[in-house]
Amino acid sequence: MTEPRAESSSSSAISALIDTHRPVLAAYEQFYKTLHADPELSLQESTTSLRIKDHLVSLGYEVKTSIGGHGVVGILRNGSGKTVLIRADMDALPIAEATGLPYSSTKRMVDVADGVEKPVMHACGHDMHCSTLLAASELLKGAKAAWSGTLIMLFQPNEERAAGAKAMVDDGLYDPSRHDVPKPDIVLGAHIMPARAGTVQTAGGPFNSAADSFKITVFGRGGHGSRPHQAIDPVVMASSIVLKLQTIVSREMDPRDAVVVTVGSLQAGNAENIIAGEAVLKVNTRTFSEENRRRVQESIERIVRCECEAFRCPQPPKFESISHFPLLYNDEAVSETVAEAMIDHFGKDDESSKGVGFSTSPFPSMGSEDFSHLSNAVGAPCCFWNYGGIDQKVWDDAKKNGRIDEIAGTHSALFSPAIHPTMKTAIDAYAAGALAFLKR
């Protein structure tokens, strides 16, 4: 069932198809609320994947499951033409939701990664990604008489830990002897962002940074708090390391390059009168070039080793890699085609648009994605875009009062996207992006 035909924002054939075949949003709003209230951590997305699988089957897609964990793929073969893959991610975060929404999550799960029970929340909007890509699947199925090619709808697990896309590829996503998903000619994806609902942005070139995370253990010598001279205090040592790591960006990197070094976790000891035996730091870096990525990692290791030597540590520090997100590079030609389709459908977000429509991203994001593993594995060009999810009045009031930075964004316990018009914008963008390459 489709909604009544609305006036198109442009006279383009793509807009006409979208407006004609856009499904009734009420069912997908309910699907979104169900996912939001029942989130699942990375590596544990079993119920989410089952819901997605059942819906794709009901739409008549060829469905493949259990790829790289709980990955699901829906395939719609519709004659000769391009093969377009569109990706959504499905995992949630270990955050206690504080939005107060009637469909908010109160769920807790034992995380298989460490055996610890944690609160769970869709604080990164993956519930919106899944719901709207399913709605786009229905839209494009309904419009199949007007396009030709093969459509692949891919629902990826374990994005938050930077491993799901690679796991799907390594599990034989494109291998004819395994899951035999057609190799795409173009790979597309999108993410909800703390921006005004109704807006869409992309650009060719570097779009999201590469990100690397490390666990660093430094070893001191434990002892009684009253006898610090007999101990080697890892808390003081780790504190010194944290401060010196801040000089990597400010004093070692070209100020024209975008680089971030963050110490997100520092843990040592359990009591105030005991000098601990070791401290653990978790460090995250973000870069846009392989040269800077290498330089930052070498600098971190040099600083840590030198500090440990200065503090007379009984053994060298231990470095462990936690995760790696590759650089997300949008192919220029593909991104230009996507941008033209978005402008045709949404119009331009400029002074006359009243805060809706498409615009070119002014600069790359320091956020990171494992999305490009899906395109890099087969040498296919890709394009990723962002769309806003913040209530338009909330955004406008915050902008007027200079308080945009106070709006809760992704990975916040208070992140609560406005379902409308966010959902319609996301669905239309997926469909417009695909149809730009599949149209007859």
Side-chain angles (χ1 to χ4, degrees):
M1 181 178 181
T2 58
E3 289 186 322
R5 170 79 182 268
E7 283 299 317
S8 172
S9 58
S10 93
S11 60
S12 75
I14 287 178
S15 275
L17 284 174
I18 291 172
D19 289 339
T20 300
H21 296 284
R22 186 185 302 112
V24 174
L25 299 189
Y28 290 99
E29 178 178 345
Q30 186 54 53
F31 192 94
Y32 165 77
K33 290 178 178 179
T34 298
L35 291 187
H36 190 89
D38 190 21
E40 295 176 299
L41 292 173
S42 306
L43 303 171
Q44 297 170 249
E45 311 94 335
S46 57
T47 301
T48 303
S49 65
L50 180 61
R51 288 182 172 127
I52 290 168
K53 184 266 290 184
D54 287 346
H55 196 82
L56 287 170
V57 169
S58 74
L59 294 176
Y61 278 69
E62 174 189 344
V63 180
K64 299 176 185 286
T65 61
S66 302
I67 308 175
H70 295 293
V72 180
V73 171
I75 304 169
L76 184 60
R77 305 175 196 268
N78 190 30
S80 62
K82 299 286 188 183
T83 296
V84 177
L85 184 153
I86 314 179
R87 173 270 213 170
D89 36 10
M90 63 174 79
D91 52 335
L93 288 159
I95 295 175
E97 183 163 355
T99 63
L101 293 167
Y103 50 90
S104 63
S105 169
T106 58
K107 189 170 182 176
R108 299 181 65 86
M109 297 182 76
V110 175
D111 191 339
V112 296
D114 56 17
V116 177
E117 184 180 83
K118 302 172 183 176
V120 192
M121 177 191 175
H122 265 301
C124 203
H126 295 183
D127 46 353
M128 183 65 74
H129 300 173
C130 290
S131 304
T132 53
L133 187 55
L134 284 174
S137 301
E138 181 175 346
L139 188 160
L140 291 165
K141 173 69 181 301
K144 66 181 294 189
W147 59 267
S148 181
T150 298
L151 187 63
I152 302 168
M153 299 306 208
L154 185 145
F155 296 82
Q156 178 202 311
N158 199 17
E159 185 276 337
E160 296 294 354
R161 294 173 185 172
K166 190 173 188 300
M168 292 185 76
V169 171
D170 291 347
D171 190 31
L173 174 68
Y174 304 121
D175 186 344
S177 66
R178 285 286 291 146
H179 299 290
D180 195 23
V181 172
K183 292 182 180 180
D185 297 305
I186 295 108
V187 179
L188 306 176
H191 205 296
I192 190 171
M193 295 295 286
R196 194 180 194 273
T199 58
V200 183
Q201 284 192 336
T202 194
F207 193 72
N208 276 18
S209 71
D212 294 274
S213 294
F214 310 93
K215 176 182 175 182
I216 303 172
T217 306
V218 294
F219 302 95
R221 184 165 61 236
H224 198 286
S226 66
R227 296 188 294 275
H229 59 293
Q230 296 178 352
I232 296 176
D233 193 338
V235 173
V236 176
M237 177 170 45
S239 299
S240 180
I241 289 171
V242 171
L243 292 176
K244 286 185 172 61
L245 291 181
Q246 309 312 304
T247 66
I248 294 174
V249 175
S250 65
R251 287 297 175 267
E252 295 189 35
M253 307 305 299
D254 189 323
R256 293 168 295 183
D257 291 343
V259 177
V260 173
V261 176
T262 300
V263 181
S265 175
L266 171 54
Q267 299 173 329
N270 295 297
E272 73 284 354
N273 63 343
I274 301 172
I275 295 174
E278 63 182 49
V280 176
L281 302 90
K282 291 183 179 178
V283 184
N284 177 260
T285 69
R286 293 171 189 266
T287 55
F288 283 100
S289 73
E290 189 57 36
E291 179 186 357
N292 282 345
R293 180 173 176 251
R294 175 186 55 78
R295 288 182 61 191
V296 167
Q297 292 179 22
E298 288 176 352
S299 295
I300 291 171
E301 190 166 333
R302 183 192 73 243
I303 288 170
V304 172
R305 290 191 186 280
C306 289
E307 285 296 296
C308 288
E309 183 176 349
F311 275 84
R312 301 174 292 110
C313 290
Q315 66 185 90
K318 181 180 179 182
F319 297 86
E320 301 171 77
S321 175
I322 297 174
S323 65
H324 167 61
F325 288 93
L327 175 70
L328 199 168
Y329 191 97
N330 276 350
D331 179 84
E332 285 86 352
V334 169
S335 299
E336 183 178 352
T337 299
V338 168
E340 289 172 356
M342 299 289 186
I343 291 170
D344 275 351
H345 181 67
F346 294 108
K348 288 186 177 181
D349 178 11
D350 54 28
E351 292 183 1
S352 63
S353 69
K354 299 182 179 179
V356 295
F358 174 84
S359 62
T360 301
S361 297
F363 46 78
S365 167
M366 296 306 296
S368 300
E369 269 283 346
D370 68 346
F371 159 83
S372 57
H373 283 303
L374 300 169
S375 57
N376 293 345
V378 291
C382 70
C383 177
F384 198 83
W385 59 84
N386 294 326
Y387 59 91
I390 302 302
D391 179 86
Q392 293 174 345
K393 185 177 187 307
V394 170
W395 181 267
D396 292 343
D397 289 347
K399 185 176 181 179
K400 179 180 178 181
N401 296 308
R403 301 177 68 176
I404 284 179
D405 288 346
E406 298 178 21
I407 292 176
T410 51
H411 288 224
S412 165
L414 295 170
F415 183 58
S416 56
I419 296 178
H420 303 293
T422 305
M423 179 166 280
K424 177 177 177 289
T425 300
I427 296 165
D428 288 11
Y430 282 135
L435 289 168
F437 301 97
L438 295 171
K439 60 188 178 183
R440 279 193 175 127

